[in-house]
Amino acid sequence: MPSTPGTVVVLGTGGTIAGTAAHAAQHTGYTAGVLGAEALVAALPALQGLPLVAHTLARLDSCNMDGPTWALLAEQAALHLARPEVAGVVVTHGTDTLEETAYFLHRVVAAAKPLVLTAAMRPATALSPDGPQNLFDAVTVARSSGAHSAHGVLAVLGGVVFAGAELRKVHGYRQDAFSAGDAGPLALLEDGVLRVLRPWPNVPLHAVAASLSSLLATRAWPLVDIVTSHALADGRVVDALVAAGSRGLVLAGTGNGSVHAAVKAAAGRAMAQGVRVLRASRCQLGGVVGGAPDDLPSAGTLTPVQARIELMLDLLAAA
Ligand code: SIN
């Protein structure tokens, strides 16, 4: 391993940023995760000459993200961040589950340095791909030092730096597909210069490191599922999931986390059997505010996919 101070480690996991299409005009129907991290870095002249190493951990379409890859990524990110010569780590990833991986890493990696996720909405073969600029910007954040020195799990897309814990994918096709909801961006990248808008996220480093140790010790992922509440809903899905072994359920409720009475009754039966339940909102922005005393437990500001990760980690810690 090189020991140049200020080294950035790029860990590739796949995604559209590493995807190739048959035609340059094609933005859909391409194959994600074809190129390794080494190729993405080598293709970017602006990165040449920088102390940078790339490793390909996976070549996934991120809709297929799996437990072993998450565990490997968290382990490798933590190992590299702990090396004194490493300034920061960049993760190239698909956009589809980027918010889940960002939240997961935020919860398990004690990132006292920048751990920066990036991705692209257009494949590497596109006429105007967004991946190269996003990768360059992510490396810039990972190398940031001095007054602007970043830390924590971050995501960089379209010249915007988001807190990993606040990231949401809000569009399926457009290049500006991400938001931090009510919280807004942490920083902007303008001509390669970082303009910080608000403080970098504070991370309880010891608690977070303990979560990673327990995860890596067991590598067992408790079964936690998401059930959407909607018009004409009934309790069949909840009952079936409990019968199939779910140990946790997130109810993606309507509006401010309201849940159809039939689903609520089934969730009550599940809780009586020891299944953990959290009530989130299926709305694209906002979370669950307040609640009546007899409501199902609230996920607060967490999105359904974030609440699912919380339940998984809770169950893991209790195992
Ligand atoms: C993926 O999530 O791996 C494919 C879609 C994308 O990266 O935009």
Side-chain angles (χ1 to χ4, degrees), residues 61-174:
D61 184 320
S62 80
C63 71
N64 298 322
M65 183 50 68
D66 54 46
T69 305
W70 260 10
L72 177 67
L73 177 59
E75 184 177 37
Q76 288 297 305
L79 282 175
H80 287 297
L81 287 172
R83 293 166 52 204
E85 71 277 21
V86 170
V89 170
V90 169
V91 177
T92 57
H93 197 284
T95 63
D96 285 351
T97 56
L98 189 68
E99 67 195 85
E100 295 179 57
T101 298
Y103 190 78
F104 166 67
L105 292 177
H106 164 76
R107 290 289 285 105
V108 302
V109 178
K113 298 174 189 172
L115 172 51
V116 190
L117 291 95
T118 195
M121 292 298 287
R122 295 180 175 175
T125 48
L127 284 171
S128 170
D130 47 338
Q133 181 71 53
N134 285 347
L135 179 54
F136 178 75
D137 286 345
V139 170
T140 302
V141 174
R143 298 179 71 228
S144 63
S145 58
H148 289 334
S149 177
H151 66 258
V153 177
L154 308 167
V156 173
L157 299 123
V160 180
V161 186
F162 302 98
E166 293 162 353
L167 190 70
R168 295 168 179 216
K169 186 170 182 182
V170 293
H171 202 282
Y173 182 81
R174 273 188 352 216

Side-chain angles (χ1 to χ4, degrees), residues 230-314:
H230 49 80
L232 280 65
D234 59 42
R236 282 172 310 127
V237 177
V238 168
D239 291 338
L241 285 170
V242 172
S246 285
R247 296 180 55 210
L249 291 174
V250 174
L251 305 178
T254 37
N256 188 32
S258 55
V259 174
H260 191 292
V263 177
K264 194 171 173 181
R269 292 194 290 277
M271 287 171 75
Q273 293 183 50
V275 175
R276 295 276 312 275
V277 173
L278 279 180
R279 179 174 57 87
S281 170
R282 70 178 205 190
C283 290
Q284 198 181 40
L285 297 175
V288 177
V289 179
D294 65 337
D295 268 343
L296 298 166
S298 166
T301 56
L302 299 178
T303 65
V305 291
Q306 290 175 336
R308 200 189 81 77
I309 293 166
E310 278 301 327
L311 273 188
M312 232 169 40
L313 294 175
D314 264 13

Side-chain angles (χ1 to χ4, degrees), residues 36-61:
E38 300 81 352
L40 297 183
V41 167
L44 202 44
L47 294 182
Q48 306 318 307
L50 295 180
L52 203 145
V53 282
H55 303 292
T56 302
L57 301 185
R59 293 170 190 261
L60 288 175
D61 184 320

Side-chain angles (χ1 to χ4, degrees), residues 161-238:
V161 186
F162 302 98
E166 293 162 353
L167 190 70
R168 295 168 179 216
K169 186 170 182 182
V170 293
H171 202 282
Y173 182 81
R174 273 188 352 216
Q175 275 182 275
D176 61 333
F178 286 88
S179 163
D182 295 334
L186 284 176
L188 302 174
L189 280 142
E190 296 161 333
D191 282 356
V193 177
L194 194 56
R195 176 151 68 98
V196 180
L197 302 175
R198 57 189 179 94
W200 302 109
N202 265 331
V203 186
L205 298 179
H206 294 301
V208 170
S211 304
L212 181 58
S213 307
S214 73
L215 166 68
L216 295 178
T218 64
R219 294 185 194 253
W221 300 82
L223 292 177
V224 178
D225 298 287
I226 300 175
V227 176
T228 303
S229 186
H230 49 80
L232 280 65
D234 59 42
R236 282 172 310 127
V237 177
V238 168

